[in-house]
Amino acid sequence: MIDSIVFSKTKGTLEVSVSIYVFKENDVFIAYCPSLDLSGYDKTEEAAFRDFEYVLGEYAKFQMQHGTLNKDLTRHGWKDIQ
């Protein structure tokens, strides 16, 4: 999978395609996205993924509100960000 984030100004939407790894540590499931260095966690795999979706949404909202998405993606090693 190629990681990508596309923002549609006309629709006001953000389309995200990233790899997410889910693993269990002790009694907690963790959903981790290395390309954004974001994670969510909970007691079940499904709940950890839902928590990750929430974290990703908050990340995107913050970056878009502050106009820092390109800068942050570049900091994480992303190339050709437009």
Side-chain angles (χ1 to χ4, degrees), residues 22-78:
V22 179
F23 57 94
K24 188 173 184 180
E25 190 170 294
N26 297 321
D27 292 331
V28 176
F29 284 91
I30 300 168
Y32 177 64
C33 175
S35 58
L36 295 172
D37 195 24
L38 296 175
S39 60
Y41 65 93
D42 211 314
K43 293 180 181 182
T44 68
E45 188 172 341
E46 295 79 18
F49 188 75
R50 282 193 305 272
D51 188 54
F52 173 81
E53 288 178 323
Y54 172 78
V55 169
L56 178 62
E58 291 299 306
Y59 165 81
K61 186 185 334 178
F62 178 88
Q63 298 299 334
M64 298 306 291
Q65 287 174 346
H66 292 88
T68 56
L69 182 60
N70 288 347
K71 182 179 179 181
D72 192 64
L73 292 178
T74 300
R75 185 176 67 84
H76 284 94
W78 291 52

Side-chain angles (χ1 to χ4, degrees), residues 4-9 11-17 56-57 59-61 63-64 69 73:
S4 65
I5 294 180
V6 178
F7 177 66
S8 171
K9 291 181 181 179
K11 295 181 182 179
T13 60
L14 192 65
E15 182 179 314
V16 179
S17 177
L56 178 62
Y59 165 81
K61 186 185 334 178
Q63 298 299 334
M64 298 306 291
L69 182 60
L73 292 178

